[in-house]
């Protein structure tokens, strides 16, 4: 029971950066170049983490074919769900209103506030967060301790998502209770997902854990490629690559030191 709580606490702790980012975006306001740099840094950290913490470990325990099959399946599931949600307004879930209104970038106009769009944004954020939370729980089941590189990568990638989306929701006329209710609820759901990831799979065969890890890894990479890197590059074409490389390097260093 204690391990389940630890896994859930790790998921909730990483997801709380969504709420922290929303608070900064709502009350302070941050230049979109800073949001873009943080997003690129988080993208690089996630890529490094899924490569060295998830895919390699899955290959060592499950073999090449199951690893590649699960990885591609996870990517396909994310892309299909992302396309469906984009039609309901969730495409802009990682985009601040500053990015939407800046000249010279490829952006879409801010959608009008509506219950459908707000729900789509929330579901889209869950789509991004559930695979990350699952692998946090699985890292405890697989190694006996929550993986620090995964925890850091997820936390850093969550910060710009909460920041950008809260700024966009504020522009659309959403109230403070709505915005923080959405992100607080998503943070709680992420904690539950991490706890379930451990509780349901703690005693599962290593091949099953490896399969779930690769499906989640494929979904995370597709999310990074579809949303995080394009949005970061649209706002800051000069330093996106450097920030992503720094995020990758930090995550890799944590993997080796840990």
């Amino acid at each position: 029971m204690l391990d389940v709580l630890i896994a859930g606490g790790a998921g909730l702790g990483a997801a709380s950066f969504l709420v922290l980012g929303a608070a900064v975006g709502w009350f302070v306001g941050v230049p979109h170049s800073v949001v873009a740099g943080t997003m690129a840094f988080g993208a690089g950290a996630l890529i490094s983490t899924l490569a060295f913490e998830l895919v390699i470990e899955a290959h060592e325990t499950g073999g090449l074919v199951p690893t590649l099959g699960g990885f591609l399946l996870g990517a396909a599931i994310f892309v299909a769900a992302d396309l469906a949600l984009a039609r309901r307004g969730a495409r802009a879930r990682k985009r601040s209103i500053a990015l939407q209104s800046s000249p010279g970038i490829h952006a879409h106009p801010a959608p009008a506030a509506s219950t459908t769009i707000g729900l789509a944004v929330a579901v889209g954020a869950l789509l991004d967060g559930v695979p990350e939370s699952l692998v946090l729980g699985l890292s405890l089941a697989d190694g006996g301790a929550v993986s620090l590189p995964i925890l850091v990568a997820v936390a850093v990638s969550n910060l710009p998502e909460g920041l950008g989306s809260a700024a966009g929701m504020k522009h659309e006329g959403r109230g403070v209770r709505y915005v923080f209710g959405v992100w607080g609820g998503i943070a709680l759901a992420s904690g539950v997902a991490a706890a379930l990831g451990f509780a349901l799979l703690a005693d599962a065969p290593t091949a099953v854990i490896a399969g779930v890890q690769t499906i989640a890894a494929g979904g995370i990479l597709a999310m990074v490629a579809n949303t995080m890197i394009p949005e970061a590059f649209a706002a800051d074409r000069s330093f996106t690559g450097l920030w992503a490389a720094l995020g990758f390097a930090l995550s890799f260093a944590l993997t080796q030191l840990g």
Side-chain angles (χ1 to χ4, degrees):
M1 182 61 181
L2 178 60
D3 287 339
V4 173
L5 294 176
I6 292 173
L12 179 61
S16 67
F17 278 74
L18 287 168
V19 183
L20 176 61
V24 174
W26 186 274
F27 295 108
V28 179
V30 176
H32 58 262
S33 60
V34 175
V35 181
T38 307
M39 192 172 291
F41 186 91
L46 283 175
I47 291 172
S48 176
T49 298
L50 68 89
F52 295 106
E53 285 278 316
L54 301 179
V55 175
I56 288 180
E57 290 184 7
H59 173 253
E60 291 175 349
T61 58
L64 180 62
V65 173
T67 298
L68 291 179
F71 188 80
L72 294 175
L73 176 61
I77 291 172
F78 177 88
V79 170
D82 190 47
L83 286 172
L85 287 168
R87 296 171 184 170
R88 297 183 176 273
R91 176 67 71 188
R93 63 185 178 272
K94 290 185 182 292
R95 184 179 301 139
S96 72
I97 195 62
L99 299 185
Q100 294 175 20
S101 59
S102 296
I105 64 173
H106 302 291
H108 302 284
S114 72
T115 302
T116 301
I117 290 174
L119 180 61
V121 168
V123 174
L126 279 175
L127 176 67
D128 300 337
V130 167
E132 298 169 346
S133 299
L134 281 174
V135 297
L136 273 172
L138 286 174
S139 71
L140 180 61
D142 190 36
V146 173
S147 168
L148 181 60
I150 296 176
L151 183 63
V152 171
V154 172
V156 172
S157 67
N158 279 337
L159 185 64
E161 179 168 4
L163 196 159
S165 294
M169 288 180 179
K170 183 177 182 180
H171 179 82
E172 293 168 4
R174 297 292 185 183
V176 64
R177 289 185 179 179
Y178 173 88
V179 172
F180 288 97
V182 166
W183 294 115
I186 292 171
L188 289 173
S190 297
V192 171
L196 288 176
F198 175 83
L200 297 178
L201 295 170
D203 298 321
T206 55
V208 173
I209 294 178
V212 176
Q213 281 182 333
T214 53
I215 291 173
I220 291 171
L221 182 60
M223 180 270 290
V224 168
N226 271 19
T227 60
M228 295 183 72
I229 291 178
E231 296 300 341
F233 184 75
D236 187 356
R237 296 174 180 237
S238 299
F239 296 103
T240 296
L242 177 61
W243 283 116
L246 288 172
F248 186 100
L250 173 62
S251 182
F252 178 73
L254 289 174
T255 299
Q256 299 306 305
L257 294 174

